[in-house]
Amino acid sequence: MFALHEFNSELSVLHIPEICTWNLSLESTLLDLPLYNCQIELTQQAKEVAQAFDKKPLLPGVILTDRGKFVGIISRRLFFERVNRRYGIEMFFKRPIEVLYRFSRKDMLILSGTKLIVEAAEESLYRPAELVYDPIVVEVAPETYWLLDVQQLMVAQSKIHQLTNKLLQKQTEAKLIQTEKMASLGNIIAGVAHEIRNPLNCIWGNLNFLLSYFEDLLELMSAYEEEFSEPSPVIAAIKERIEFDFLREDLPATLEGMKFGAEQLLKIVNSLHNFSHMDESKPFSTDIHECIENTLLILKNRLKQSTEVVKNYGDLPLIKCYSGQLSQVFLNLLINALDALAERAGDREMSAQYPQNWYPRIEITTKVVEVDDRKWAAIIITDNGPGIPPEIQEQIFETFFTTKPVGKGTGMGLAICHQIITEKHAGKLNLRSQPAPNTEFEILLPIVQTCDQKAL
C-alpha cells in the first residue's frame, strides 16, 4: 500500500511541451510519445487520487493495481464526475479507490507500445462517445502499463498528417520532375534519331547502288580481259599492286557487311524514334511484338552479357495503345530483370548455395487470354533471378519504393509502369514471385476490335 509521500516518487512522466516538438515520422509508435506512470493500489483512499490530480494538472488518469498487478484505470474525467455528484464526496472520498472503481468501471483501450500512432489514433476514435477522451493504456513492456493522454495522441496524429501532406507534395513534385525529364529526354531522343536517320537513309540507299555499280565494273573488267587476253605490262603492274584478285573477292563481302551494319543501325534509330513517342496524344493500333523487338534492340548491349532471351510469341492482334509509353514499360521491366539476374550472378560467385549450372534467362511470352469474360493481350516477362520477398510484394508498385542501394534506383520505374498500364491503357499489371528464384510480371491489355478487324 502506497503512502502519499511514496506516491509522489512513483509518479513519473516525460516533459510535455506546450507546442509539439517531438521528432515524429510516419513510422512513429506510442513509445515515442509522453507517457504517464502513476500507480495506485486499490486499497488507497480516493482523496489521495484527488491530491495527485491537484498536484499534476496534466495527469489524465491513474493506473490501479492490486498488490502491484495491473487491474484497470480511473480517468481524471470519470473521477471528478463521480466525486462531484451529490453525496459523491461522502460516498467515495474517504473510502478505498476500489469502491469508486467497482461502482463506475468502464471498458478501457489497451494498446501495445509498438503500435503506430496513426493506427492508435484510429482505434481511439472508434471508442464509444463517452470514452473517446479517456486516456489510453499503453503496454510499454510485458505486464507494464503506462497512460497516454488522448489529446497528445491527437496532436501527434495531426503532426504526422502534416508530414504526410508534405511528403505527398514532395513525391508529386518529384513525379512531375521525373515526367518532365522523361518527356524532355523523349524529345531529345526523337530529335537525335531524326537527325541520324536522314544521313543514314542516304547511306543505306546509296549502298544498294554502290553494290550494283561494283558488279557492273566487274562485268566490264571481265569483258576487257576476254577482248584483250594479253594485258599491257602497265595494267599487269597495277593489278599486282592493288591485289586485284583479292579485291574482287573481298570487296563484295565488305559492301555486304556495310549494308548489314547500316541496316542494324537503321533499326536502332527507328527503335529510338518509336520509343521516344512519349507525348502521343491518342493511341494507335500497334504491333506488340514490334514494340518488344524495338526495346530488346535498345538493350542489345546488356543482353550480350550471356543472358538468354527466350521468345514465345503467340498470335496477337493489333492493340490500340500508346506505343512509346508501352515501350517504356517493357524497358523498365526488362532492366529490372537484368538487374536481378546480375545480382544473382554475383551471389552465385560469392556463395556455394546456388547451383553452378544456373545461367541468366529471360522469357517473354505473348498470348490472348480470357479474364472476367473479356479478351486480353497478355505479355509475360519472366526471369530466373532471386525473386521478390513476399513481405514487400504489396509495396513493389508504390512510388519511390525501391530495393536497390542508394543511388542505384529511384523507385519510380515500376510505379510508372503500373500507372501507364492501369491508367493510360485500362489494363492490369500483375506480379507473381515465389520464394524460389523466379519473378514474373504479367501485362494485360484489353483487346478492342476495330472496324477492320470486325469485318475480317
Side-chain angles (χ1 to χ4, degrees):
M1 174 172 152
F2 293 167
L4 182 58
H5 66 278
E6 293 175 327
F7 169 79
N8 290 332
S9 63
E10 290 293 326
L11 175 61
S12 59
V13 60
L14 300 180
H15 172 65
I16 304 175
E18 294 182 1
I19 301 177
C20 179
T21 57
W22 315 317
N23 186 22
L24 298 177
S25 69
L26 299 182
E27 302 300 322
S28 292
T29 65
L30 297 181
L31 293 178
D32 297 316
L33 300 180
L35 301 175
Y36 298 83
N37 179 22
C38 176
Q39 298 185 11
I40 295 290
E41 278 285 329
L42 290 175
T43 53
Q44 289 184 251
Q45 292 184 353
K47 66 178 182 179
E48 296 184 39
V49 178
Q51 292 171 357
F53 284 141
D54 184 57
K55 290 182 178 180
K56 298 290 183 180
L58 296 179
L59 185 64
V62 294
I63 298 172
L64 302 179
T65 59
D66 183 7
R67 299 176 184 177
K69 187 176 181 180
F70 175 78
V71 173
I73 67 168
I74 288 286
S75 68
R76 174 186 286 270
R77 177 193 64 81
L78 182 60
F79 178 82
F80 286 109
E81 178 185 311
R82 295 300 185 194
V83 169
N84 290 331
R85 285 184 179 181
R86 190 173 185 181
Y87 307 117
I89 294 180
E90 290 81 359
M91 291 178 59
F92 303 117
F93 213 64
K94 295 185 179 180
R95 294 184 178 182
I97 191 63
E98 181 180 9
V99 176
L100 191 151
Y101 177 67
R102 301 298 180 192
F103 183 81
S104 57
R105 182 164 51 183
K106 301 285 186 180
D107 293 334
M108 55 188 164
L109 180 60
I110 303 178
L111 299 176
S112 169
T114 58
K115 191 82 167 180
L116 293 177
I117 291 175
V118 290
E119 296 177 353
E122 183 178 6
E123 291 191 37
S124 174
L125 292 174
Y126 284 153
R127 292 185 293 176
E130 66 271 14
L131 301 178
V132 74
Y133 294 110
D134 281 5
I136 296 170
V137 181
V138 179
E139 188 175 14
V140 297
E143 302 299 324
T144 304
Y145 301 91
W146 287 26
L147 291 182
L148 170 64
D149 188 347
V150 71
Q151 181 188 10
Q152 300 298 328
L153 177 63
M154 293 299 110
V155 171
Q157 166 67 358
S158 175
K159 184 175 179 65
I160 290 177
H161 180 70
Q162 294 175 10
L163 293 175
T164 304
N165 287 337
K166 290 180 181 179
L167 179 60
L168 288 174
Q169 184 178 0
K170 289 181 180 179
Q171 290 180 346
T172 302
E173 292 174 355
K175 191 173 183 180
L176 290 174
I177 292 172
Q178 181 75 6
T179 303
E180 182 66 25
K181 286 173 63 178
M182 290 300 298
S184 300
L185 181 60
N187 292 332
I188 292 172
I189 291 176
V192 172
H194 179 74
E195 293 300 321
I196 295 177
R197 190 162 54 172
N198 286 338
L200 189 57
N201 282 330
C202 178
I203 295 172
W204 169 253
N206 288 327
L207 272 174
N208 291 322
F209 292 112
L210 186 59
L211 280 169
S212 177
Y213 296 159
F214 176 70
E215 291 173 357
D216 292 342
L217 287 175
L218 285 180
E219 184 180 357
L220 178 62
M221 289 296 299
S222 298
Y224 267 107
E225 288 179 347
E226 290 178 2
E227 292 294 328
F228 303 98
S229 56
E230 295 294 333
S232 68
V234 175
I235 294 176
I238 293 174
K239 289 175 67 175
E240 182 178 358
R241 178 171 59 81
I242 65 174
E243 298 181 349
F244 178 73
D245 293 336
F246 172 77
L247 185 148
R248 180 163 52 184
E249 294 178 1
D250 188 62
L251 187 56
T254 301
L255 292 175
E256 286 293 340
M258 293 173 62
K259 183 179 179 181
F260 176 78
E263 183 180 9
Q264 292 299 110
L265 185 56
L266 192 60
K267 287 182 180 179
I268 293 174
V269 170
N270 287 334
S271 298
L272 289 174
H273 188 268
N274 293 332
F275 179 77
S276 65
H277 290 166
M278 302 300 298
D279 55 348
E280 297 164 307
S281 58
K282 61 181 181 178
F284 293 95
S285 295
T286 304
D287 184 347
I288 296 297
H289 295 149
E290 183 180 353
C291 261
I292 297 173
E293 289 298 323
N294 288 338
T295 306
L296 290 173
L297 196 58
I298 294 174
L299 292 172
K300 188 174 182 179
N301 183 60
R302 288 199 63 178
L303 292 172
K304 285 181 180 178
Q305 301 172 4
S306 66
T307 300
E308 180 187 12
V309 178
V310 180
K311 305 171 190 175
N312 302 317
Y313 288 167
D315 187 14
L316 291 184
L318 296 179
I319 302 297
K320 205 168 186 181
C321 64
Y322 299 90
S323 61
Q325 297 185 21
L326 202 57
S327 295
Q328 184 185 1
V329 172
F330 296 149
L331 184 70
N332 289 350
L333 294 180
L334 288 169
I335 287 177
N336 276 355
L338 289 169
D339 289 343
L341 293 173
E343 177 185 343
R344 190 182 181 199
D347 292 342
R348 184 185 60 167
E349 295 178 0
M350 299 293 294
S351 175
Q353 65 176 341
Y354 289 97
Q356 293 303 310
N357 60 350
W358 176 88
Y359 55 90
R361 184 172 183 267
I362 294 176
E363 186 173 348
I364 304 174
T365 303
T366 62
K367 57 185 177 181
V368 175
V369 298
E370 190 167 335
V371 180
D372 300 331
D373 297 327
R374 291 184 61 186
K375 288 188 175 181
W376 304 76
I379 304 99
I380 304 168
I381 299 176
T382 308
D383 68 74
N384 61 342
I388 299 174
E391 59 269 17
I392 66 171
Q393 289 184 20
E394 293 184 358
Q395 302 172 266
I396 205 70
F397 296 121
E398 293 180 5
T399 306
F400 301 111
F401 178 81
T402 179
T403 59
K404 297 178 181 179
V406 177
K408 295 293 185 180
T410 62
M412 296 288 290
L414 290 178
I416 290 175
C417 289
H418 190 266
Q419 181 186 15
I420 290 174
I421 295 299
T422 58
E423 297 181 15
K424 300 291 290 186
H425 293 86
K428 301 178 182 180
L429 180 56
N430 301 320
L431 164 67
R432 300 186 186 95
S433 186
Q434 304 297 327
N438 177 32
T439 300
E440 175 183 296
F441 285 97
E442 179 189 49
I443 301 170
L444 295 178
L445 299 174
I447 297 177
V448 181
Q449 288 189 324
T450 63
C451 295
D452 294 338
Q453 290 171 334
K454 291 178 181 178
L456 294 175

